[in-house]
Amino acid sequence: DAGITQSPRHKVTETGTPVTLRCHQTENHRYMYWYRQDPGHGLRLIHYSYGVKDTDKGEVSDGYSVSRSKTEDFLLTLESATSSQTSVYFCAISESPNRGKNTEAFFGQGTRLTVV
Amino acid sequence: QQQVKQSPQSLIVQKGGISIINCAYENTAFDYFPWYQQFPGKGPALLIAIRPDVSEKKEGRFTISFNKSAKQFSLHIMDSQPGDSATYFCAASKTGNTGKLIFGQGTTLQVKP
């Protein structure tokens, strides 16, 4: 696996509580992404970052916020968790997708989040 | 809306057979089409990718066929092995679009010994 560590790997939380998932990379890649994986939907982009403090929304960003204070860390926060946010969350990194070509996206092992 | 549609949802193939997974896309601006393989409990990993300037790309037992006019592409796994049993995702992206990937719904492949 590329140098990507997601934490925690599993979490159960109650509805209405805030939750923060962490993605840490050792590859010094500029781009970082948060996806969620749900049956029948594949993976859907939540938010992504193209540099320190530079982030933007993906297709399913409602109810989520992100922060990137260092190149190596990308945090995903569920402000007030709901049952619809029960999912498997994947962090991905990519080197330089804007250099006129696409480069491979490497994925972490995932975080299984259950909101009860 | 689902910009990339993948079928079938699940597939059972005998060892040595050919596995075929199909994807269709809507956005003609897409110009990068990767396939990802995911084993249980793991993250997706890039298997093979193609750009629309070629109609076919082969890497070992894995081949992507691409039909630009039909906006379709498919993954063929020749001589399928039990170790190929996994979930496969097609995806699409636009060059210069920050590497954001639009994924298909996924296909769970089971290769029976």
Side-chain angles (χ1 to χ4, degrees):
Chain A
D1 292 336
I4 307 170
T5 303
Q6 290 187 232
S7 58
R9 293 293 313 280
H10 302 271
K11 186 171 181 66
V12 180
T13 191
E14 292 186 349
T15 298
T17 61
V19 177
T20 295
L21 309 183
R22 180 181 184 234
C23 178
H24 178 79
Q25 61 146 330
T26 58
E27 305 296 324
N28 200 35
H29 283 0
R30 179 181 173 191
Y31 288 79
M32 299 185 75
Y33 314 84
W34 277 107
Y35 289 87
R36 61 178 288 175
Q37 182 177 3
D38 303 288
H41 292 277
L43 290 93
R44 292 177 292 175
L45 182 66
I46 305 171
H47 282 280
Y48 66 99
S49 169
Y50 47 96
V52 173
K53 297 189 193 275
D54 293 321
T55 65
D56 205 349
K57 296 178 180 180
E59 60 181 308
V60 289
S61 59
D62 287 349
Y64 303 94
S65 62
V66 290
S67 65
R68 191 168 178 200
S69 59
K70 298 184 291 185
T71 298
E72 58 267 33
D73 290 325
F74 192 32
L75 304 181
L76 176 70
T77 298
L78 289 65
E79 304 290 348
S80 177
T82 67
S83 58
S84 65
Q85 294 176 311
T86 292
S87 185
V88 181
Y89 292 86
F90 286 98
C91 173
I93 63 174
S94 182
E95 190 171 13
S96 301
N98 271 344
R99 279 190 190 171
K101 62 176 183 177
N102 294 87
T103 57
E104 179 176 355
F106 298 92
F107 285 80
Q109 299 260 45
T111 294
R112 182 172 295 276
L113 176 68
T114 303
V115 183
V116 297
Chain B
Q1 75 277 18
Q2 190 72 39
Q3 295 190 57
V4 178
K5 295 183 179 179
Q6 183 173 344
S7 63
Q9 184 176 350
S10 62
L11 183 61
I12 300 174
V13 174
Q14 291 294 127
K15 178 182 176 182
I18 302 174
S19 304
I20 301 174
I21 304 171
N22 301 299
C23 282
Y25 63 97
E26 299 173 359
N27 191 338
T28 56
F30 289 146
D31 60 359
Y32 175 67
F33 302 90
W35 284 89
Y36 280 81
Q37 179 188 56
Q38 183 182 31
F39 293 105
K42 302 291 187 180
L46 181 66
L47 184 62
I48 186 173
I50 196 169
R51 296 192 175 278
D53 52 345
V54 297
S55 59
E56 185 174 282
K57 183 174 182 180
K58 184 176 181 179
E59 289 185 1
R61 296 184 294 107
F62 300 91
T63 299
I64 300 178
S65 297
F66 186 83
N67 186 328
K68 188 175 181 179
S69 61
K71 295 189 287 185
Q72 295 176 347
F73 58 110
S74 60
L75 176 69
H76 295 238
I77 306 174
M78 311 301 288
D79 186 26
S80 299
Q81 300 296 312
D84 297 331
S85 297
T87 300
Y88 293 81
F89 294 97
C90 62
S93 181
K94 294 185 288 184
T95 300
N97 197 29
T98 64
K100 294 184 291 185
L101 292 166
I102 305 297
F103 283 88
Q105 297 92 326
T107 297
T108 301
L109 170 65
Q110 180 184 357
V111 181
K112 290 192 169 183

